[in-house]
Amino acid sequence: MTSVTGYETGKFGTISTYFQIDDSWKLRTGKGVSVAIIDSGIDENHPDLQGKVLESVEARNENKRVLFVPSETGDSAGHGTACAGIITKIAPDAKFHSIRVLGAGGLGDGQSFLAGLEYAIKNRYRLINLSLGTTKPQFFSPLHDLLDRAYQAGCIVVAAANNLPQPSFPSVFSSSLISVSKSEETDPIHFGFRFGEVIELTAPGVNVRTAWLGGGYKSLTGNSFACPHIVGIIALLLETYPNLTPFQVKSALYAIAEENLRTAVDSE
Amino acid sequence: MFNRQKFPPISKKNFYLFDSYGFLGKNLCMSETGEDNLEKKLRNLIETIDVANALTEPLTASIINLLKITAFEMNSEEASVLIREGDHGDLRFLSAIGKVAEQLINLHVPAGKGIAGFVFSSGQPMAVADAGEEETFYAEVDRQTGYSTQTILATPLRHNGEVIGVLEYVNRIGEPPYEAFTPIEMDKAALFAEAVASLINAYEAAKLFRELGEKMINGATDAKFDEVREWLKGLRSAPEHKEMLDLAILIREIGSRGEAEREMCREVLEAVVRFSDSKSETSFLSY
């Protein structure tokens, strides 16, 4: 049993969000949970992902507005497929919404990235994987607004840090999303939480073997691949506790990571 | 080539810089103080070409040197720099070291394709331990170059927050199988990328001058000087070309004043192009 304590501010003021979670979530499969992946698309013909992609849209730039239309191009880069592959290993019954903002129709700039996130929030997708980021200062403010909207709408956004000397957005918006960087840990359950750091969570992200284009697999390294590990864990939590708020999810992750740490210390 | 009557709409592609307008000749004709002044301006513009070459060649050499030094630090012999080409996320190999360096130069990478395409469009660095196992973009590049990409690390090149290219390290020193690039090497590469990006940025600024110069050389070489003069005379009635000539000379002068001035000049010019692109599909310069 893991206790989760925290505080949440709502229209009635700040309230305690003490609750307890048992370990049953570790036995879940992500059933009934869907994940929006804002990325390069998903290869839905990959053996690991067949029948799991509920929706596949891609950004189109029409009259200087970004629209989302059904995608028939899949994934030309492999990255979105890799992220979905990681999630499906942890939560095999989770389904996907593929929101392609990279490499489609000449897009891939910050504008389509913003539009993809807005699309996911408007559709109130509960769990959003964002293994992307931007360091362009002009996107700081609009992304901040969008992430606040996501938080208020109950969308749980998980973003990858950029692994570069500069801060990237939105991963540095600690309050409104869950940000992740890579560790050399291999067990997805044994993620870490660095309380007080800008990028709070660490998860496996080194030589991660996952789905790739053409039905194959690759061993990949990067924060991009740590992010979906945490998304997979949250999918298990949401199956067990469907009404968790973003704040509670973060509190739960913190409590589980603390438990992981205690267990590791005890076993030494 | 000198009888073009309309300017194409301004875009990044034809921004470099007025060259597609037959710029040199058209503007030379606008001298209001006679042939002497005309030739003085011609000399000025030829100096522009010299400045341009003097700017780009050392930069290209510096990029190669930096690749060699950093590749050694990364325990790799193969490294390359890809830079953006156009406005749609395409890339092309600008510099490379290693066994197939010459074959890579100018090779085009379509938007979003392969690891480099992804890293460029997403801004996220990544390493792949087994890049060449399946039918991927790298398999295609390998077929073209005869090389075997096995392990790769790609990191974005950024300037002022904007991704301007990709830095790649491929394989290891020695014989395969090659070890995957490590997280520590990924951090190192991100630092190297900062230095490379500064050079790329300077290179691109210099390229503005160089391309102008090359076009001018080609224009002058293709036509006899007398023909150029005839052509110039025929265009005396277009006063807007004088303004463009003055602008080019001004840019050359700014370019000679220092790195900070060149950087500022480049940013201002790019902002003007962006403004123009966003204002209208039809350039206000069309006539």
Side-chain angles (χ1 to χ4, degrees):
Chain A
M1 185 75 75
T2 305
S3 297
V4 178
T5 54
Y7 299 92
E8 190 157 20
T9 301
K11 61 179 77 171
F12 303 113
T14 302
I15 57 167
S16 165
T17 56
Y18 177 84
F19 64 98
Q20 289 186 316
I21 52 173
D22 59 39
D23 284 348
S24 64
W25 66 270
K26 292 179 181 172
L27 305 172
R28 304 291 181 170
T29 58
K31 194 171 183 181
V33 178
S34 62
V35 180
I37 297 188
I38 301 172
D39 212 288
S40 60
I42 297 175
D43 178 6
E44 50 193 282
N45 296 318
H46 193 285
D48 290 2
L49 301 170
Q50 280 172 1
K52 295 182 180 178
V53 181
L54 298 176
E55 177 195 22
S56 187
V57 294
E58 67 182 42
R60 284 272 171 79
N61 199 342
E62 288 183 12
N63 296 324
K64 304 197 172 176
R65 287 186 60 211
V66 181
L67 305 175
F68 285 89
V69 298
S71 174
E72 294 169 0
T73 49
D75 179 0
S76 63
H79 193 268
T81 301
C83 292
I86 291 166
I87 295 166
T88 211
K89 264 190 187 172
I90 299 165
D93 288 330
K95 306 287 188 192
F96 298 103
H97 300 274
S98 172
I99 302 169
R100 181 174 177 169
V101 297
L102 299 176
L107 289 166
D109 58 7
Q111 210 58 42
S112 55
F113 170 40
L114 279 179
L117 185 55
E118 188 174 26
Y119 177 88
I121 296 165
K122 272 186 180 167
N123 284 287
R124 293 193 174 248
Y125 294 141
R126 284 278 278 144
L127 187 49
I128 300 169
N129 186 98
L130 206 53
S131 287
L132 306 174
T134 176
T135 54
K136 292 182 184 176
Q138 63 266 39
F139 290 113
F140 179 94
S141 182
L143 265 174
H144 209 289
D145 289 347
L146 266 180
L147 264 297
D148 281 349
R149 276 173 56 192
Y151 184 80
Q152 286 151 11
C155 304
I156 300 155
V157 183
V158 187
N162 75 354
N163 202 59
L164 295 167
Q166 310 95 328
S168 74
F169 320 121
S171 67
V172 297
F173 303 158
S174 304
S175 59
S176 51
L177 86 164
I178 294 161
S179 49
V180 191
S181 64
K182 66 183 181 305
S183 73
E184 297 198 45
E185 174 62 59
T186 52
D187 183 351
I189 300 288
H190 290 129
F191 60 87
F193 199 108
R194 306 181 301 178
F195 188 74
E197 297 284 328
V198 174
I199 308 299
E200 291 167 309
L201 281 138
T202 61
V206 178
N207 288 326
V208 178
R209 187 86 177 155
T210 184
W212 195 254
L213 299 178
Y217 298 86
K218 291 222 173 287
S219 297
L220 307 169
T221 297
N223 290 332
S224 292
F225 314 109
C227 180
H229 277 94
I230 294 298
V231 169
I233 297 290
I234 297 172
L236 305 183
L237 286 169
L238 284 181
E239 182 190 351
T240 322
Y241 306 101
N243 297 319
L244 289 177
T245 66
F247 180 83
Q248 287 173 321
V249 166
K250 199 186 252 194
S251 301
L253 291 171
Y254 176 61
I256 294 164
E258 287 289 295
E259 189 74 29
N260 285 340
L261 202 60
R262 273 196 298 276
T263 311
V265 170
D266 290 347
S267 63
E268 280 177 3
Chain B
M1 65 176 290
F2 296 125
N3 60 356
R4 191 172 296 179
Q5 294 300 307
K6 277 183 181 286
F7 292 124
I10 284 187
S11 68
K12 238 178 192 170
K13 195 174 174 186
N14 58 23
F15 173 60
Y16 306 120
L17 203 185
F18 322 112
D19 44 25
S20 57
Y21 308 147
F23 172 71
L24 164 65
K26 284 185 178 185
N27 284 284
L28 286 170
C29 76
M30 289 319 301
S31 165
E32 291 173 356
T33 54
E35 293 295 312
D36 289 346
N37 197 27
L38 182 77
E39 289 190 16
K40 187 179 169 191
K41 287 198 170 181
L42 179 61
R43 276 199 300 277
N44 279 342
L45 286 169
I46 288 170
E47 282 171 19
T48 303
I49 300 164
D50 295 336
V51 169
N53 286 334
L55 282 171
T56 55
E57 283 175 17
L59 287 170
T60 312
S62 298
I63 293 166
I64 292 286
N65 285 338
L66 196 51
L67 284 182
K68 284 178 182 168
I69 294 163
T70 60
F72 183 75
E73 280 292 311
M74 299 287 287
N75 190 28
S76 173
E77 286 177 311
E78 318 282 333
S80 52
V81 169
L82 298 95
I83 58 168
R84 64 185 165 194
E85 189 171 58
D87 296 333
H88 297 291
D90 294 4
L91 293 167
R92 100 180 142 77
F93 284 87
L94 173 72
S95 299
I97 59 162
K99 296 184 182 81
V100 291
E102 284 182 16
Q103 290 155 274
L104 285 176
I105 300 300
N106 290 327
L107 201 66
H108 176 85
V109 179
K113 273 280 184 186
I115 290 145
F118 173 80
V119 167
F120 179 74
S121 57
S122 71
Q124 292 289 98
M126 67 185 282
V128 184
D130 38 17
E133 274 184 9
E134 290 93 21
E135 288 297 304
T136 62
F137 175 73
Y138 285 90
E140 180 57 35
V141 171
D142 286 353
R143 263 195 293 277
Q144 286 186 38
T145 60
Y147 190 66
S148 173
T149 302
Q150 294 188 17
T151 185
I152 184 167
L153 188 159
T155 197
L157 296 166
R158 291 175 195 269
H159 183 74
N160 288 342
E162 189 169 350
V163 183
I164 59 172
V166 176
L167 172 64
E168 287 188 339
Y169 298 97
V170 175
N171 294 348
R172 300 292 202 170
I173 296 170
E175 297 299 314
Y178 302 117
E179 282 183 10
F181 286 98
T182 66
I184 291 170
E185 287 171 327
M186 194 173 248
D187 292 343
K188 269 190 195 174
L191 291 173
F192 296 153
E194 292 224 319
V196 175
S198 300
L199 284 177
I200 296 298
N201 189 56
Y203 171 86
E204 289 202 326
K207 203 173 117 187
L208 290 172
F209 296 98
R210 197 197 65 195
E211 292 195 357
L212 170 64
E214 282 174 357
K215 290 285 180 182
M216 290 192 301
I217 289 171
N218 290 338
T221 311
D222 291 347
K224 303 276 188 204
F225 191 70
D226 288 346
E227 289 174 342
V228 176
R229 287 192 178 208
E230 282 303 308
W231 169 74
L232 297 176
K233 286 177 186 171
L235 289 167
R236 280 177 190 276
S237 59
E240 64 271 23
H241 295 310
K242 180 176 184 302
E243 291 170 16
M244 292 168 72
L245 173 64
D246 290 342
L247 184 58
I249 292 170
L250 181 64
I251 290 169
R252 189 203 64 181
E253 190 180 327
I254 294 168
S256 69
R257 289 192 180 186
E259 190 178 337
E261 284 80 0
R262 286 195 293 277
E263 169 65 13
M264 185 181 289
C265 179
R266 183 174 184 272
E267 286 177 5
V268 169
L269 290 173
E270 287 186 346
V272 170
V273 171
R274 282 196 296 274
F275 169 75
S276 175
D277 282 346
S278 66
K279 194 177 172 190
S280 170
E281 290 296 323
T282 309
S283 167
F284 60 87
L285 285 174
S286 296
Y287 65 95

